[in-house]
Amino acid sequence: MNNIPFNKPHMTGRELWYIAQAHTNGHLAGDGMFTKKCHAWLEARSGTLKALLTHSCTAALEMAAILADIQPGDEVIMPSYTFVSTANAFVLRGGVPVFVDIRSDTLNIDETKIEAAITPRTKAIVPVHYAGVACEMDVIMDIARHHNLLVIEDAAQAVMSVYKGKTLGTIGHLGAYSFHETKNIISGEGGALLVNDERFAERAEIVREKGTNRSQFFRGQVDKYTWVDVGSSYLPGEVIAAFLWAQMEEAESITQKRLDIWDQYHQAFATLEETGKLRRPIIPDGSQHNAHMYYILLKSLEKRAEVIAHLKERNVNAVFHYVPLHSSPAGKKYSRISGAMEHTDDLSDRLLRLPLWIDMGDNQAKVIAELHNALS
Ligand SMILES: *Cc1c(COP(=O)(O)O)cnc(C)c1O
């Protein structure tokens, strides 16, 4: 019987053609023609002031931590239910992640618990748009304004998602996207920093170019380039950008195809939700998601283990994540919690992600049937 993987990277068909063009152009380092196309697309599509390709979302978050001027002991408020890079990027600067519990409906940071976590050391809030579904950004931006904090959106999963008419990643001062092969729009490894605040625009280019003013030099704004700030090499080469461009050209159709698969899962599990066997994802009004992920919430940790085993035996690969950061070894060492982690601990034990990839075809019907069997 054929194996149904959890993820299968989708190629649009033009990736190799564009890579061949990059090869012919003879410009293989970063910031060539394809990088410029990707920047222009991101800026036009999202409305951000400045988009900068990076080699990962992790790199974009690290750049954000430098731009936010995180100093040792500075605190950064974020959910514990997230990928390690959300926290690591700030820990690398000596910052202290302060974890706040998540909401039980969207699994996003509970905005009503943010204010209680603020101290005189707080510098920034990092909302993570889980599964491409928006955090309550109006409330979060109000809190940030009131306390003079920066907002850095971890929009790794949220490319093409919208909150009340605004593209995710463009609402905070800075936003970070991922183009990792497990995300929607991909380049293997890849990411982008969205700079939404004029104050950071010039410095972002410098930090990305090893702390030099090389970008200004190439534009003829300065007559030599030199070391002017801290920084690192955060830009991808043109081969990656060429691949990514082929994906960006198809971003609308990729998103639509994923939404169709998502909707089919959602309909297929309505009855299981009615009979209390599982809970389906909740999309709040005003949030337009990108079908990054289809997950279900089961009754208990034990039930989840049972369902995973049942599916595995029938060659269906369903997976879970994350070990909440506050309970991880490094999390205990480098961060602290604010308040109870009730929903974080409970929901992370019960969440199961189902295979979702373009061209699943009949495989989806099989996943649906096997899940119904597992829960009957
Ligand atoms: C995938 C992911 C990242 C990291 O993205 P990379 O491009 O692999 O560095 C960060 N945060 C979240 C929430 C993610 O899902």
Side-chain angles (χ1 to χ4, degrees), residues 117-341:
I118 295 173
T119 75
R121 294 307 308 259
T122 308
K123 269 273 182 72
I125 306 169
V126 185
V128 179
H129 305 296
Y130 183 68
V133 179
C135 297
E136 284 305 319
M137 291 308 291
D138 281 350
V139 177
I140 292 171
M141 294 309 290
D142 278 346
I143 294 170
R145 256 188 300 275
H146 189 238
H147 295 273
N148 199 21
L149 304 175
L150 290 173
V151 174
I152 299 162
E153 294 177 74
D154 182 339
Q157 304 178 7
V159 177
M160 307 290 282
S161 292
V162 174
Y163 169 82
K164 300 186 182 173
K166 291 183 191 149
T167 300
L168 294 187
T170 69
I171 303 167
H173 303 87
L174 298 161
Y177 280 165
S178 175
F179 304 119
H180 186 264
E181 76 166 36
T182 53
K183 302 301 201 290
N184 291 19
I185 310 296
I186 62 172
S187 58
E189 303 282 350
L193 178 72
L194 304 191
V195 181
N196 306 314
D197 186 316
E198 182 63 50
R199 278 180 295 166
F200 301 113
E202 189 176 310
R203 192 168 182 227
E205 285 185 339
I206 291 168
V207 167
R208 179 168 168 269
E209 271 282 18
K210 304 96 184 164
T212 73
N213 55 358
R214 187 170 169 169
S215 302
Q216 291 165 318
F217 173 72
F218 282 136
R219 284 197 298 263
Q221 291 167 333
V222 291
D223 60 6
K224 57 184 182 299
Y225 87 83
T226 182
W227 184 21
V228 294
D229 202 341
V230 295
S232 187
S233 182
Y234 288 118
L235 67 169
E238 275 289 281
V239 169
I240 291 282
F243 190 107
L244 184 59
W245 176 242
Q247 296 265 320
M248 284 181 171
E249 280 190 326
E250 298 293 328
E252 305 281 346
S253 71
I254 288 172
T255 307
Q256 193 50 56
K257 283 175 187 161
R258 294 185 71 98
L259 282 165
D260 291 343
I261 299 169
W262 197 100
D263 288 340
Q264 283 192 47
Y265 273 140
H266 209 58
Q267 279 171 32
F269 301 139
T271 52
L272 291 174
E273 186 173 73
E274 276 161 29
T275 53
K277 296 278 173 40
L278 56 73
R279 203 202 85 188
R280 298 179 300 164
I282 294 169
I283 313 293
D285 290 343
S287 179
Q288 219 174 300
H289 73 106
N290 62 353
H292 171 60
M293 186 193 307
Y294 198 89
Y295 67 81
I296 53 172
L297 289 162
L298 295 163
K299 284 261 176 221
S300 63
L301 181 68
E302 295 71 31
K303 193 73 201 172
R304 179 174 73 180
E306 245 177 64
V307 170
I308 291 174
H310 173 102
L311 294 175
K312 183 94 207 143
E313 249 170 57
R314 286 145 185 97
N315 298 307
V316 176
N317 292 284
V319 302
F320 61 85
H321 69 179
Y322 305 101
V323 174
L325 298 184
H326 73 273
S327 48
S328 68
K332 285 181 182 149
K333 194 163 158 193
Y334 296 117
S335 45
R336 66 176 178 83
I337 57 171
S338 170
M341 293 290 115

